[in-house]
Amino acid sequence: MKIVVLKFGGTSVGTIKKIKRVAEIIVGYKKKNYKVIVVSSAMSGATNELIKKSFEISDNFSDSEHDVLVSSGEQVSCSLIAGRLIHRGYKSRSWLSWQVPLLTVGAHKNSRINLINKNKIIKYLKEGGIPIVTGFQGINSQNRITTIGRGGSDATAIMLAKFFKAERCIIYTDVEGVFTTDPNKLKKAKKIRVISYEEMLEMASLGAKVMQPVSIQDARLNRIDIEVKSSFIKTDLYKAIAKNYQYLHWEKFFDPMQPNAFHLATKSKHRKRWPNEYSLTPFYYLNFLLEKNPTTIYDLGCGDNSFKKYI
Ligand code: ADP
Ligand code: ASP
Ligand code: MG
């Protein structure tokens, strides 16, 4: 089965108009004969609103009830997507995590997916259905609803791709992919075509919320390529996070001859020469450092022309 997992973030399903657009993207894959599994986040802002309500009830709101409460956001968006696909003449339905079921381990608010029961979804796919699965949640061994941490729908998508052996796993968001830094904050941010899990993990851990850190770890463990695309702008296809780049990593080093300079160089097990393309970490560090101290000299130490142009 040629399966594709499509994940739509809150930014992609934030309004009814956007949900209609998402339905058209899904139809596009269906027309290309993919068996499509959709994962959706809650409409943007919905999860925060629910959390706010819990604080108004108690400043020590129960963790298990927190999960029941916040998981409801995805129920809304998934049913709206499925409803739109049905309106368009397609067979579709929402699948809440307990209906799949999608099993988690660990504490409430911060569980991890460890097993996805495939049978019902496979049967549904074979019947031509488009399942719309709630992201960010699961059930535990006590049959309680759990959530897997903020931004967790990314991890849901990756685990679905793993268990269903999907050909592709595509994360749809509001920007055109992964950039050297937040493109909404810095206009000069550059789009990165391919980066390693390690670099993406580092960037996500430093706060780039385009991908949730746990989801990158899951992708790395299971060797899943992730494509990151915009729900709003049509772009050429490219892979954002790919397994064959796993060996690249960058190192900061101090040069006594130029104590005020900040050098970055790379090591690669694959290449003899310095790779000079789309290296994330230096850009990321440099954006960060330049913001702090624009007068310091920075040197990549690998003859990267695009970098020189960049500063
Ligand atoms: P979604 O709702 O699709 O999950 P998020 O809001 O969680 O989307 O993440 C997308 C946002 O991540 C973008 O709007 C962008 O502002 C931000 N972002 C931060 N750093 C980066 C980066 N390096 N590349 C792309 N987007 C980034
Ligand atoms: N709706 C959840 C959140 O806002 C999960 C997600 O968006 O991925 O954190
Ligand atoms: Mg997100």
Side-chain angles (χ1 to χ4, degrees), residues 7-13 41-42 44 151 153-154 171-185 189-190 192 200 203-204 207-212 228-229 231 280 284:
K7 179 259 173 175
F8 296 95
T11 52
S12 300
V13 294
S41 301
S44 55
S153 305
D154 294 329
I171 305 293
Y172 275 93
T173 184
D174 63 339
V175 287
E176 276 182 83
V178 177
F179 285 74
T180 49
T181 187
D182 189 339
N184 289 325
K185 294 214 174 104
K190 290 182 114 197
I192 297 160
M200 188 63 225
M203 186 160 125
K209 76 179 197 158
V210 65
M211 288 291 300
Q212 186 216 29
V228 180
K229 299 184 74 178
S231 300
L280 165 75
Y284 194 86

Side-chain angles (χ1 to χ4, degrees), residues 36 43 80-82 93 109 123 139 163 173 183 215 229 239 254 260 288:
V36 188
M43 294 169 81
L80 290 172
I81 298 170
R93 61 158 279 196
K109 292 170 114 174
K123 182 168 177 284
I139 52 164
F163 280 98
T173 184
S215 71
K229 299 184 74 178
K239 285 212 163 57
F254 178 72
N260 292 327
F288 172 75

Side-chain angles (χ1 to χ4, degrees), residues 294-311:
T295 55
T296 312
I297 308 154
Y298 298 104
D299 182 359
L300 255 192
C302 67
D304 186 328
N305 292 332
S306 56
F307 165 73
K308 281 188 186 124
K309 239 185 281 157
Y310 181 71
I311 53 168

Side-chain angles (χ1 to χ4, degrees), residues 7 9-10 41-42 47-48 70 74 135-136 149-154:
K7 179 259 173 175
S41 301
T47 310
N48 287 348
V70 297
E74 275 71 16
F136 171 57
R150 295 306 305 268
S153 305
D154 294 329

Side-chain angles (χ1 to χ4, degrees), residues 46-228:
T47 310
N48 287 348
E49 279 303 314
L50 292 166
I51 293 173
K52 224 163 84 190
K53 286 194 173 77
S54 75
F55 280 131
E56 284 167 23
I57 291 288
S58 163
D59 52 14
N60 193 20
F61 196 80
S62 142
D63 285 355
S64 52
E65 289 311 323
H66 167 100
D67 284 354
V68 177
L69 179 71
V70 297
S71 65
S72 65
E74 275 71 16
Q75 180 163 341
V76 173
S77 52
C78 287
S79 87
L80 290 172
I81 298 170
R84 184 64 187 176
L85 288 167
I86 295 165
H87 169 89
R88 290 277 282 96
Y90 290 87
K91 180 179 163 91
S92 183
R93 61 158 279 196
S94 56
W95 286 84
L96 309 187
S97 47
W98 60 268
Q99 294 172 322
V100 175
L102 199 150
L103 306 173
T104 62
V105 286
H108 279 286
K109 292 170 114 174
N110 203 17
S111 294
R112 281 193 81 148
I113 298 168
N114 75 332
L115 189 69
I116 301 178
N117 195 321
K118 286 163 47 174
N119 300 348
K120 291 185 203 153
I121 296 277
I122 291 282
K123 182 168 177 284
Y124 189 66
L125 288 171
K126 282 187 178 156
E127 291 164 2
I130 309 174
I132 319 291
V133 181
T134 49
F136 171 57
Q137 54 204 271
I139 52 164
N140 64 16
S141 53
Q142 276 90 50
N143 252 2
R144 297 297 311 259
I145 289 178
T146 55
T147 61
I148 60 172
R150 295 306 305 268
S153 305
D154 294 329
T156 307
I158 279 144
M159 294 309 271
L160 282 165
K162 171 197 158 151
F163 280 98
F164 286 90
K165 297 196 169 50
E167 231 172 58
R168 297 170 65 187
C169 177
I170 311 178
I171 305 293
Y172 275 93
T173 184
D174 63 339
V175 287
E176 276 182 83
V178 177
F179 285 74
T180 49
T181 187
D182 189 339
N184 289 325
K185 294 214 174 104
L186 200 76
K187 287 239 159 53
K188 277 185 178 171
K190 290 182 114 197
K191 192 156 73 182
I192 297 160
R193 289 184 71 83
V194 186
I195 62 170
S196 65
Y197 298 117
E198 287 75 10
E199 286 173 311
M200 188 63 225
L201 184 58
E202 182 177 3
M203 186 160 125
S205 311
L206 286 168
K209 76 179 197 158
V210 65
M211 288 291 300
Q212 186 216 29
V214 170
S215 71
I216 312 292
Q217 283 167 341
D218 288 339
R220 181 181 173 190
L221 273 174
N222 298 295
R223 293 279 163 246
I224 291 164
D225 284 353
I226 308 162
E227 298 168 41
V228 180

